[in-house]
Amino acid sequence: MASVVTPSIDEDIWQDVWDEERAWREENPVQEKVPDPLTFVIFGGTGDLAHRKLVPALYSLTTSKLMPTQFAIVGFGRSDRDNDEYRQGLRESVQASGVRVQDSTWDDFAQRICYVQGRYDDEMSFSALAETLDRIDIESGTENHRVFYLATPPDVYADVVHNLGTAQLNQPSQENGWVKLIVEKPFGRDLATARSLNHCIHEVFDESQVYRIDHYLGKETVQNIFVLRFINGIFEPIWNRNYVDNVQITAAESLGVEGRGGYYEKAGAIRDMMESHLLQLLTLTAMEPPPAFTADKVRDEKVKVLDALEYPDEHHPMRSVVRGQYGRGMADGRMLPGYHDEEGVAPVSRTETYVAAKFFVDNWRWAGVPFYLRTGKRLAKRVSEIAIQFRRAPHMFLPDGKASRPRSNVLVLRIQPDDGMALRMEVKVPGPGMRVRPVDMSFMYKEAFGGASPDAYQRLLLDAMRGDSTLFTRTDEVETAWALMTPMLEAQSNSDDLPMYPAGSWGPAEADALLEQDGHRWRKP
Ligand code: BG6
C-alpha cells in the first residue's frame, strides 16, 4: 500500500507550506476567534447527550483556549440535583468520554457550571431560569449573550421554545446582547412534524438565531469534502457523470441500539440516519461550488441538490429501497443479540435497523449516476465513508488472465474510523510480465497532522457560539430532506417487507441485489 502522508518528496516545498500556514494564521486571527462572553444553557442537562458530548466538548474548547474568559454553563433538567452533585456527575462523564481531565482546569471549569431544576412545560420554571441568567450576567460578566441548546427528547422541544418566548428569553434584554437556539436532531419525524416545529420556532425566534445541528457536518472529513472538491483543481473536471460511474455512501455501525431502544423503536434507520447524516453527505458530494463559503451560499447549493434528488421510479419508491432488521448473529466467536433482544424493543417490532436506497440527482452534472446510500446497526464493522467509483478505462490492452476489463478507480473519503482519503488505482506488480494489482494512495488525518481529530461537537458548538451557521441546516433544507423521505416512510408503513440479517453481517441479501441489478457491488470497506 503506497502511503503519501509525510513531507518526504521535497522537504523544501513542505517547509514553505508550513511557513505559509504560520504566516496565514498570524494574519487571520479571525479563524481562531473566541466567542463573546456567554452563558450556555443545556435543556436536558442531566441527559446522555449533555454528559457524553456537550460538556466534554465545552471542556475541550476551554482547555484549547477557545472559550471566552467569561462564560457560564447552566444545566436545566427535571431531576433533582444540587450543583456539586451535578458537577461531579459531569466530571465523571467527561473522563469517561476519553477527554483528559486535569484537576486545576476542571476546578475552574466546574465553578462556572450550575444546575436549575424545572419542568419544560412550566412557565414558573422559565421565570426562575431567567432570574438565574440575569444573576449570572451580573456576577460573571456574560453580557446578556445566551445560547440555548435543546438536548431534551424532541417531544418537549415545542414546550421549551414556547416558554423561552413567554419568559422573554428569546430576545436579548440589553442593547449588545444576543440569543441563539441550537436544536439537536431529530428535527421532526416527517415533513408535517418538521414543518410544525419550524413554525413553532419561528413564532418565537428569528431564523438567523436558529442552529439545527447534524453532528456529521462537524466531522473533519466531512468538512474536507469542501476543500477536496473546491480547492483542488484536479477533481472538478472529473466530478460528474462523464467520469463518475456511481457513488456509494455508507454509515455502518457495529453496535446495536445501546439502551436507546425506546427512542429507536419510534425512529428506525430511515429517520435516525438516512434523513439526516446520509443525505447531508450526499448533498456535499453532489453540490455545485458555492460562490463563497458563507452560510447562505453553501446552504443554497445544498438545497438545490435535495430538490433534484429522485427515486428511480417515483411511483414505486420501495423498488429502490431495502429495509432490514438484525437477528442474532456471531462475531469473533461471540453471540450477538438480535434487535428483539434489546432493552425497550417490542418482541414483535417491525422497526428497520438497516436501510439501503438508490437515488438519482436529476441535474446536468449527475444525470444517470446512481447514488447508493446504506446505513445499519450491528453490521460487520463500524465505518462511514463516501466512495466515488469512476468509470473504467474503456479497453484492456494487457492479456491479463481474469480481468477482461480494467477495474474502476475509486476515491474513498473515509469519515471514520481512521479519517482520511484513499485513491485506488492499478499498478504493475514487480517482476516479469505485466501483471496489475490495485493499490491505495492514501492519507490519514492522524498521521499527517498528529493526534486524533477533535470531536464533531467541538467544532459545531464553537461555530454556533461565534454565530456561523454554515454547518447547520436551514428551514428549507430540513423540509426538503423530509419531503424526499415521505414516499419512503409512507410506503414502508404499508409494507411487510422487512428481511432479517444476522448481527455482525453486511446487511440483508436484498441490498446486494439492489446493486447487482445495475451491475454493481457494495464495497466491503
Ligand atoms: C446519531 C444517531 O445521530 O448518530 C445514532 O441517533 C447513531 O443512532 C449516531 O449511532 C452515529 O454517530 P457517529 O458519529 O457515531 O457515526
Side-chain angles (χ1 to χ4, degrees):
M1 174 138 124
S3 195
V4 184
V5 290
T6 45
S8 54
I9 297 176
D10 186 340
E11 295 291 341
D12 289 346
I13 290 181
W14 288 96
Q15 193 53 53
D16 289 351
V17 171
W18 305 142
D19 288 349
E20 254 178 49
E21 187 172 316
R22 193 173 316 113
W24 186 86
R25 277 177 189 280
E26 279 162 16
E27 281 166 27
N28 296 277
V30 71
Q31 284 289 316
E32 303 299 336
K33 192 179 134 230
V34 168
D36 295 341
L38 61 94
T39 306
F40 197 100
V41 183
I42 307 174
F43 294 105
T46 57
D48 191 54
L49 183 69
H51 281 71
R52 280 197 313 111
K53 293 290 181 187
L54 305 183
V55 177
L58 291 169
Y59 180 69
S60 300
L61 289 171
T62 308
T63 54
S64 310
K65 309 229 172 316
L66 288 167
M67 287 299 280
T69 336
Q70 284 118 331
F71 76 91
I73 298 172
V74 177
F76 181 106
R78 286 180 283 217
S79 326
D80 204 14
R81 296 266 200 295
D82 66 28
N83 284 339
D84 285 342
E85 267 177 291
Y86 186 55
R87 292 169 184 158
Q88 185 52 32
L90 290 175
R91 179 179 180 140
E92 284 159 20
S93 38
V94 171
Q95 261 162 338
S97 74
V99 174
R100 217 163 69 91
V101 174
Q102 282 174 322
D103 284 343
S104 55
T105 344
W106 177 265
D107 291 344
D108 174 62
F109 181 77
Q111 285 316 308
R112 299 161 181 271
I113 303 176
C114 72
Y115 181 71
V116 173
Q117 193 258 330
R119 284 198 355 244
Y120 300 117
D121 58 355
D122 172 33
E123 286 179 19
M124 298 297 288
S125 300
F126 283 74
S127 310
L129 174 65
E131 279 170 28
T132 305
L133 295 180
D134 287 343
R135 181 176 50 73
I136 290 175
D137 279 345
I138 294 165
E139 289 172 2
S140 309
T142 41
E143 299 182 7
N144 201 236
H145 298 145
R146 287 153 190 184
V147 177
F148 295 110
Y149 198 115
L150 298 187
T152 59
D155 51 356
V156 300
Y157 284 1
D159 284 339
V160 176
V161 169
H162 174 77
N163 280 328
L164 283 171
T166 312
Q168 295 183 344
L169 284 167
N170 55 329
Q171 293 297 336
S173 54
Q174 293 166 24
E175 202 182 329
N176 292 322
W178 50 248
V179 177
K180 302 181 199 307
L181 177 76
I182 310 182
V183 188
E184 182 57 42
K185 77 169 264 283
F187 196 92
R189 48 176 288 105
D190 52 23
L191 179 58
T193 49
R195 275 195 182 139
S196 128
L197 182 56
N198 272 330
H199 178 72
C200 149
I201 289 175
H202 290 150
E203 277 186 331
V204 177
F205 290 93
D206 184 77
E207 176 66 16
S208 62
Q209 297 176 280
V210 183
Y211 295 75
R212 296 173 193 80
I213 211 162
D214 181 313
H215 78 276
Y216 263 54
L217 292 176
K219 293 183 189 266
E220 283 297 338
T221 330
V222 177
Q223 292 163 52
N224 191 43
I225 301 172
F226 292 112
V227 177
L228 177 85
R229 292 195 50 201
F230 306 136
I231 306 282
N232 294 293
I234 60 168
F235 293 112
E236 173 55 22
I238 56 170
W239 209 265
N240 56 48
R241 71 195 158 88
N242 297 324
Y243 295 90
V244 176
D245 184 77
N246 69 88
V247 177
Q248 297 188 14
I249 301 182
T250 300
E253 297 186 84
S254 54
L255 294 177
V257 288
E258 303 305 294
R260 292 164 76 224
Y263 154 77
Y264 201 82
E265 277 285 88
K266 287 191 239 142
I270 299 175
R271 291 188 167 92
D272 186 46
M273 295 288 289
M274 183 163 280
E275 181 277 335
S276 48
H277 307 325
L278 270 77
L279 285 188
Q280 285 296 324
L281 298 181
L282 188 155
T283 55
L284 300 190
T285 309
M287 70 191 264
E288 294 302 312
F293 194 63
T294 59
D296 276 333
K297 298 218 179 316
V298 167
R299 296 184 297 181
D300 287 347
E301 297 305 332
K302 288 169 69 193
V303 173
K304 285 185 204 162
V305 175
L306 291 169
D307 258 336
L309 266 181
E310 281 189 348
Y311 295 89
D313 179 345
E314 61 172 314
H315 301 295
H316 299 100
M318 295 315 269
R319 286 193 184 156
S320 56
V321 176
V322 174
R323 299 158 65 241
Q325 189 188 74
Y326 62 89
R328 291 180 188 166
M330 295 288 287
D332 304 328
R334 247 179 353 114
M335 177 78 182
L336 299 172
Y339 181 61
H340 287 170
D341 301 322
E342 306 273 8
E343 195 189 318
V345 170
V348 291
S349 170
R350 307 283 300 154
T351 301
E352 82 284 354
T353 60
Y354 176 98
V355 61
K358 170 180 165 186
F359 293 106
F360 286 115
V361 181
D362 192 27
N363 63 17
W364 185 282
R365 186 188 284 270
W366 294 114
V369 177
F371 282 72
Y372 302 110
L373 275 51
R374 66 175 161 169
T375 181
K377 301 244 180 234
R378 282 265 186 246
L379 295 181
K381 199 170 171 185
R382 174 179 184 251
V383 59
S384 296
E385 62 166 41
I386 300 168
I388 318 288
Q389 311 245 12
F390 292 95
R391 288 186 191 278
R392 297 160 192 256
H395 169 69
M396 184 65 165
F397 80 110
L398 294 174
D400 189 39
K402 280 176 274 164
S404 56
R405 295 172 66 197
R407 275 176 284 248
S408 327
N409 299 120
V410 186
L411 176 66
V412 178
L413 313 182
R414 174 63 69 86
I415 293 154
Q416 62 197 18
D418 302 330
D419 38 343
M421 290 189 301
L423 179 62
R424 177 154 295 186
M425 56 180 79
E426 301 291 314
V427 295
K428 177 184 173 300
V429 177
M434 279 297 262
R435 283 193 306 121
V436 293
R437 214 191 71 183
V439 293
D440 284 348
M441 194 163 82
S442 63
F443 141 81
M444 276 210 271
Y445 266 89
K446 67 172 178 240
E447 285 177 7
F449 296 100
S453 299
D455 184 75
Y457 276 91
Q458 280 184 47
R459 165 69 195 244
L460 294 175
L461 297 191
L462 187 62
D463 280 5
M465 291 187 284
R466 283 168 170 168
D468 181 350
S469 51
T470 312
L471 300 177
F472 295 83
T473 51
R474 211 170 50 187
T475 311
D476 51 349
E477 195 175 346
V478 82
E479 291 185 7
T480 316
W482 276 121
L484 181 77
M485 292 293 109
T486 302
M488 200 189 283
L489 291 169
E490 282 171 357
Q492 72 153 0
S493 60
N494 301 323
S495 157
D496 281 339
D497 216 11
L498 189 68
M500 302 294 284
Y501 59 96
S505 71
W506 273 109
E510 286 77 351
D512 296 337
L514 182 69
L515 270 69
E516 275 157 18
Q517 68 198 18
D518 297 342
H520 295 138
R521 267 200 323 206
W522 287 112
R523 281 171 43 78
K524 296 235 175 334

